[in-house]
Amino acid sequence: MQPSAKVDAFLARTEKWRAEFERLRAIILGCELQEDLKWGQPCYALQGRNVCLIHGFKDYCAILFMKGALLDDPAGVLIQQTENVQSARQIRFTNAAQIASMQNILKDYVQRAIEAERSGRKVLMKKTEAFDVPQEFKARLGSDPALKAAFEALTPGRQRGYLLYFASAKQPKTRAARIEASLPAIFAGKGRED
């Protein structure tokens, strides 16, 4: 497939993980995916449907498979980034030599991801009702019908985003402050990242 000029420009200004990104890019471009820059990262799609992307962090870079939860993992290399990530899985690297030594495995996993996308299979996502609702938010929803209606009008993804954000605070005071600060966005029908 053809390299994207946007990804060329991204790589030209990338310092950390540049060699690793270039190796991953070469492997992925050897498959039948279209390259673009999405969410500020090189992203690879099949007929307009995102299959994988490459991205870097402080301690590692990774190839992330959008529907990685559907992939068999015979090499035992797929990692769930956090406990709240339901669909995506990563393969992480700390240097270009690791990528070079795993080239055949990586090609195989990209092909597995392409086949998962072609199959039309979907990752079964946990329903919003299965997420913990912090006591502070339950109480607020129970005492404010307008807030309850506004929250229920949000998309399930936006609801989950707020629930995860509220529940991740360890202190009740912090949870209450997060809830209070989020009220204007909830009433405006927006998610945390909107």
Side-chain angles (χ1 to χ4, degrees):
M1 285 291 165
Q2 291 289 80
S4 161
K6 289 190 248 178
V7 174
D8 289 339
F10 168 84
L11 290 172
R13 65 179 181 273
T14 298
E15 292 180 25
K16 188 169 186 164
W17 307 119
R18 182 176 183 168
E20 291 78 6
F21 285 171
E22 287 174 350
R23 283 189 181 266
L24 288 169
R25 180 189 198 198
I27 292 167
I28 298 168
L29 284 176
C31 301
E32 52 196 293
L33 300 174
Q34 299 92 30
E35 181 179 64
D36 199 358
L37 196 68
K38 295 183 181 178
W39 307 288
Q41 304 299 319
C43 187
Y44 302 88
L46 178 71
Q47 299 169 340
R49 296 184 314 263
N50 299 325
V51 173
C52 62
L53 62 78
I54 54 179
H55 55 162
F57 298 89
K58 180 181 174 187
D59 297 326
Y60 66 90
C61 68
I63 181 171
L64 178 133
F65 297 100
M66 305 303 188
K67 293 182 178 179
L70 296 177
L71 304 182
D72 290 330
D73 187 15
V77 293
L78 292 176
I79 296 170
Q80 185 176 359
Q81 191 171 0
T82 69
E83 67 183 47
N84 295 318
V85 173
Q86 295 184 59
S87 182
R89 297 293 183 270
Q90 298 177 325
I91 301 176
R92 296 178 179 175
F93 312 95
T94 56
N95 60 63
Q98 286 178 314
I99 297 166
S101 71
M102 292 180 66
Q103 183 168 331
N104 291 334
I105 292 170
L106 296 174
K107 283 181 185 178
D108 178 53
Y109 276 65
V110 171
Q111 288 303 320
R112 289 170 188 270
I114 290 169
E115 290 309 313
E117 189 57 51
R118 275 197 182 119
S119 75
R121 292 186 303 153
K122 306 265 186 223
V123 175
L124 295 176
M125 304 294 248
K126 199 163 79 168
K127 300 283 185 200
T128 303
E129 299 78 37
F131 283 76
D132 290 331
V133 179
Q135 191 57 44
E136 297 81 1
F137 194 52
K138 269 187 198 172
R140 191 69 188 256
L141 290 172
S143 67
D144 188 341
L147 174 61
K148 183 175 184 192
F151 186 74
E152 289 174 351
L154 295 173
T155 63
R158 287 180 172 144
Q159 290 177 6
R160 289 189 296 269
Y162 282 114
L163 294 176
L164 289 170
Y165 176 61
F166 299 155
S168 68
K170 294 185 182 6
Q171 299 291 324
K173 184 169 123 180
T174 307
R175 286 191 295 274
R178 286 182 178 184
I179 292 164
E180 195 63 36
S182 299
L183 294 179
I186 292 171
F187 281 114
K190 295 181 178 179
R192 282 202 59 247
E193 306 296 326
D194 294 346

